[in-house]
Amino acid sequence: MNKTVIKVLYWATTGLIAVGNLFGAYAYTSQSPQVLEGLAHLGYPGYLALILGPAKGLSAIALLYPKFPRLKEWAYAGITFNVLGAGLSHLLAKDPNFATPFIFLVLVAVSYITWRKLEAEKV
């Protein structure tokens, strides 16, 4: 695959993930009524928003900051666990929008794979 295509795919998917996580960080940390209702619907306590909110914000920063590749690896792992947990929670709660987290997971996978390809070319 062409290096330019890889870069475009990387930045497009990583940008969407970062924006989504920054928005989520704000919504969760501010304990938006929609977030609290969503957590309650899934059977989770409201204080979980205060744990996930900062984690979402920090993961977005880690994805965008190029200096610490190991931190970026951990951010990808954390996002993956979060999205898998969200998808399974929605699925088990019989939520009709259960597929949304799994679509987000595809973006995470494309971002991660393209990032690794770009990193491999640096060596």
Side-chain angles (χ1 to χ4, degrees), residues 96-120:
N97 296 320
F98 74 89
T100 304
F102 295 110
I103 294 167
F104 196 76
L105 187 60
V106 171
L107 291 175
V108 174
V110 171
S111 173
Y112 179 74
I113 291 166
T114 55
W115 173 66
R116 294 301 296 172
K117 286 185 179 194
L118 292 170
E119 286 294 301

Side-chain angles (χ1 to χ4, degrees), residues 2 4 6 10 24 27-28 30 34-36 41 49 53 55-56 77 81-82 87 93 95 97 100 106-107 116-117 120:
N2 181 330
T4 304
I6 293 171
Y10 169 72
Y28 278 62
S30 67
Q34 291 171 320
V35 167
L36 295 178
H41 169 70
K56 287 175 177 282
F81 295 139
N82 178 270
D95 188 329
N97 296 320
T100 304
V106 171
L107 291 175
R116 294 301 296 172
K117 286 185 179 194

Side-chain angles (χ1 to χ4, degrees), residues 9-21 64 111:
L9 276 173
Y10 169 72
W11 281 111
T13 55
T14 305
L16 288 171
I17 295 164
V19 167
N21 276 5
L64 297 174
S111 173

Side-chain angles (χ1 to χ4, degrees), residues 61-63 65-75 115 119:
I61 293 167
L63 288 186
Y65 192 70
K67 295 286 184 189
F68 302 106
R70 181 151 313 172
L71 184 61
K72 188 177 284 207
E73 289 272 355
W74 279 95
W115 173 66
E119 286 294 301

Side-chain angles (χ1 to χ4, degrees), residues 43-62:
Y44 294 112
Y47 67 79
L48 188 60
L50 295 176
I51 298 168
L52 292 176
K56 287 175 177 282
L58 290 171
S59 71
I61 293 167

